[in-house]
Amino acid sequence: MRLDRFLANMGCGTRSEVKHLVKSGKVTVNGKILRDPGVQIVPEQDQIICDGQAVEYRKYIYLMLNKPAGVISATEDVKERTVLDLLDPKYYNKGIFPVGRLDKDTEGLLLLTNDGPLGHRLLSPKKKVFKTYYARIQGWVTAEDQEAFRDGILLDDGYRTLPGDLTILAEGPVSEVEVMICEGKFHQVKRMFLALGKQVVYLKRVAMGELVLDPRLQLGEYRELEPDEIQRLTRIEE
Ligand code: URA
């Protein structure tokens, strides 16, 4: 890989900024100053220091976003603000995409990455990666509703969902629940409740597999995953 491309990909600056750094002797490769931005390096092997800082090679980027309502889970759109619009420009043009979709009015955990194979595994129903949601439901949620979730629910289009789990957190005219499902059909949680004659009035994803939304993230905030979080996610088998 070209040295300038590597540096730009690792977030050391724009392509023209890093070219400038290289030409001005601020970058060493295996201890030697190299002033040619186009020189080929081997990211997995070479030790690169840029402006006094060792540049750690990361093949992929993993971000945890606390998605706010009002933005859509897409990479681009002509009319709507997308989750990518919430990111710092240093993450642009890196092939980052949201893993799965949250509705425009749904909040919470959204993983953004450019690791295509991982995204695929997390979304595959065969892998049974459970997504956990906190929801507020108009009306009293009952033990019969819990049983229906356990059995799988027949949706409006004739599809029967895989078994899910419904925990009642607070009973009342507006109930609070936790839902765990391992599929990601369009509007799935809302449609499961609709099939039971109930309406979801608030929905937030709190976990995806072992990845749990960091409670310190305010709506619209994001952070890179910690190495142990990446490790746990990438343990999902091929
Ligand atoms: N189920 C829904 O109905 N909406 C979401 O955004 C996610 C799951």
Side-chain angles (χ1 to χ4, degrees):
M1 185 188 295
R2 282 177 64 111
L3 178 58
D4 55 357
R5 176 145 181 256
F6 168 79
L7 292 169
N9 282 357
M10 294 308 112
C12 299
T14 62
R15 196 74 174 254
S16 63
E17 283 165 353
V18 299
K19 270 191 177 131
H20 182 74
L21 283 169
V22 176
K23 284 183 186 159
S24 53
K26 298 262 174 61
V27 178
T28 63
V29 178
N30 301 326
K32 263 201 258 152
I33 294 178
L34 294 185
R35 291 175 192 268
D36 174 7
V39 72
Q40 290 291 323
I41 58 132
V42 182
E44 294 87 347
Q45 284 170 20
D46 292 331
Q47 202 211 21
I48 319 284
I49 297 184
C50 177
D51 224 1
Q53 297 268 336
V55 185
E56 195 193 327
Y57 174 59
R58 285 173 310 153
K59 191 168 175 197
Y60 295 121
I61 296 167
Y62 302 92
L63 303 172
M64 171 193 291
L65 167 72
N66 186 359
K67 179 193 169 297
V71 293
I72 62 165
S73 305
T75 51
E76 55 184 6
D77 194 86
V78 280
K79 288 202 307 269
E80 308 269 11
R81 241 158 70 88
T82 74
V83 287
L84 287 203
D85 294 329
L86 300 172
L87 302 184
D88 185 283
K90 75 176 181 190
Y91 294 113
Y92 294 173
N93 303 316
K94 302 244 183 312
I96 290 177
F97 61 91
V99 178
R101 241 180 291 153
L102 290 180
D103 297 338
K104 189 174 169 186
D105 61 353
T106 301
E107 296 178 353
L109 175 65
L110 192 63
L111 174 68
L112 298 159
T113 184
N114 49 8
D115 182 347
L118 177 77
H120 189 74
R121 292 205 297 282
L122 282 171
L123 296 176
S124 164
K126 277 193 232 134
K127 303 290 174 204
K128 295 234 168 34
V129 176
F130 274 85
K131 290 102 191 165
T132 309
Y133 296 87
Y134 164 83
R136 286 199 283 270
I137 312 297
Q138 190 69 50
W140 295 76
V141 174
T142 63
E144 288 80 62
D145 296 330
Q146 292 182 291
E147 207 178 307
F149 265 75
R150 268 197 300 276
D151 291 346
I153 292 177
L154 193 61
L155 299 181
D156 46 8
D157 59 1
Y159 176 76
R160 180 171 290 281
T161 68
L162 291 174
D165 193 64
L166 172 61
T167 306
I168 302 172
L169 303 173
E171 290 180 86
V174 177
S175 308
E176 291 180 49
V177 299
E178 184 183 85
V179 174
M180 288 178 77
I181 54 171
C182 63
E183 301 165 285
K185 303 277 174 218
F186 187 59
H187 296 329
Q188 182 160 340
V189 175
K190 292 174 186 164
R191 287 164 66 213
M192 287 172 91
F193 278 101
L194 219 55
L196 303 174
K198 299 193 169 117
Q199 198 196 343
V200 174
V201 290
Y202 174 79
L203 189 60
K204 174 180 184 170
R205 183 156 63 195
V206 291
M208 189 169 187
E210 292 191 49
L211 185 65
V212 178
L213 179 64
D214 185 335
R216 289 167 300 189
L217 289 176
Q218 301 297 310
L219 286 170
E221 289 184 346
Y222 61 92
R223 66 160 171 82
E224 298 213 4
L225 293 196
E226 303 290 345
D228 66 306
E229 291 173 322
I230 298 172
Q231 230 171 32
R232 271 185 268 135
L233 271 187
T234 49
R235 268 208 310 253
I236 299 166
E237 282 167 28
E238 301 282 329

